[in-house]
Amino acid sequence: MRDVPVSAVTDAVARLFMEANYRLPPDVEAAVRAAAESEPWQPARSALETICRNIDVAGEGRFPLCQDTGMVTVWLSVGQEAHFTGGSLCDAVNEGVRRGCRDGYLRASVVGDPLRRKNTGDGAPAVIHCDIVPGDGVKIELMPKGFGSENMSRTAMLKPADGVEGVRAFVLRAVAEAGPNPCPPVALGIGIGGGLDKAAEMAKHALLRPFGEHNPDAYYAALEHELLESVNALGIGPQGFGGRTTALSVAIETYPTHIAGLPVAVNICCHVCRRGCAEV
């Protein structure tokens, strides 16, 4: 058994929230810069070059990459031998969000009730997922996600007979209907299986995977590659200006499902695919 003070969780969440908003992960930045260098269509290339300048300015000045600094989702992988001390784990996560929002001068983008719409004023609460794993460590994965792209995400309860063709059609339709609204080039997280809730959670979690890292199952790795090519063939392009780069990455996560169902979710993320990870 290892004692873990919840204050360490608060510190980590605050730091991750701020840093994720100032700097893109290296793999995401590299993908954007590579797209800018290879894009032959001038309007699209100009949009990508502007995005690159924004990345530079944000990183050098520690400014938010986007004015929408996101609603925070946190995945906790908690070792079953870890013992938290000093208070509530979920309270500690939300205090970290509040501190990061305040100290990082990040926009408070969360309302406390979905219909009455009063802003909480501090970016909290986060959406928290928790898994119990072997060991005594605590892993924190954090994603602050803006809602320009979140609003374009979709779920569907397909029939088993729809099969992989139905999944392909649903993904392409979701991206085509989103058009320029999610600030392409985008990253696509896709969840297949489980129930409605599990598919949606997997789709967002898939966005944590580094660009260029494929599903370990060769079948789904091939599907990721195929979908990336098909999405880019839509010709939406950076900020909707056309060109060859509509998506930078496609990542699929799967889970067993019921014999009568085929749940699918597509989580669309803008080019500001922010994420961070720490262990305490």
Side-chain angles (χ1 to χ4, degrees):
M1 187 71 68
R2 182 174 74 95
D3 286 343
V4 180
V6 296
S7 60
V9 174
T10 294
D11 292 344
V13 168
R15 175 177 55 80
L16 291 174
F17 188 20
M18 290 187 287
E19 290 301 322
N21 269 292
Y22 301 148
R23 295 183 183 277
L24 284 183
D27 58 290
V28 179
E29 181 176 345
V32 172
R33 295 191 187 279
E37 291 176 2
S38 64
E39 177 58 61
W41 176 239
Q42 184 53 44
R45 186 184 184 97
S46 178
L48 287 165
E49 289 172 346
T50 300
I51 289 171
C52 290
R53 287 197 295 274
N54 182 70
I55 292 171
D56 292 337
V57 171
E60 292 167 5
R62 291 180 63 80
F63 304 128
L65 288 148
C66 175
Q67 84 281 356
D68 186 349
T69 56
M71 185 174 189
V72 177
T73 301
V74 173
W75 290 266
L76 299 171
S77 298
V78 178
Q80 61 190 15
E81 301 300 326
H83 173 239
F84 292 99
T85 62
S88 160
L89 175 59
C90 289
D91 287 349
V93 169
N94 287 323
E95 181 57 29
V97 172
R98 294 186 189 96
R99 185 187 301 174
C101 187
R102 181 194 68 225
D103 295 351
Y105 300 98
L106 307 180
R107 192 180 80 181
S109 301
V110 174
V111 295
D113 182 275
L115 294 181
R116 287 172 288 192
R117 311 300 293 180
K118 183 178 179 181
N119 199 299
T120 62
D122 54 19
V127 176
I128 303 171
H129 302 280
C130 187
D131 284 331
I132 306 301
V133 299
D136 60 5
V138 180
K139 181 180 179 182
I140 303 168
E141 296 173 293
L142 179 145
M143 176 182 292
K145 189 161 186 291
F147 265 55
S149 60
E150 186 77 354
N151 285 338
M152 296 296 103
S153 301
R154 296 290 183 265
T155 59
M157 301 301 288
L158 302 182
K159 299 183 290 294
D162 292 327
V164 68
E165 290 302 328
V167 172
R168 287 191 190 101
F170 172 66
V171 172
L172 292 176
R173 185 168 64 250
V175 177
E177 291 176 353
N181 292 322
C183 291
V186 298
L188 299 179
I190 300 171
I192 307 173
L196 178 69
D197 54 341
K198 182 64 175 177
E201 188 271 329
M202 287 191 297
K204 181 169 283 188
H205 188 266
L207 294 170
L208 294 174
R209 189 194 305 168
F211 289 6
E213 182 179 305
H214 301 293
N215 190 295
D217 185 321
Y219 176 84
Y220 288 106
L223 184 57
E224 289 171 345
H225 178 73
E226 178 188 336
L227 286 171
L228 182 60
E229 289 193 337
S230 297
V231 166
N232 284 329
L234 293 172
I236 297 167
Q239 302 301 297
F241 287 121
R244 65 170 56 168
T245 312
T246 297
L248 298 168
S249 175
V250 173
I252 296 173
E253 290 192 8
T254 65
Y255 196 79
T257 192
H258 192 278
I259 57 173
L262 179 55
V264 185
V266 179
N267 198 291
I268 302 178
C269 188
C270 66
H271 62 274
V272 184
C273 189
R274 295 164 290 195
R275 44 179 147 83
C277 180
E279 296 186 11
V280 298

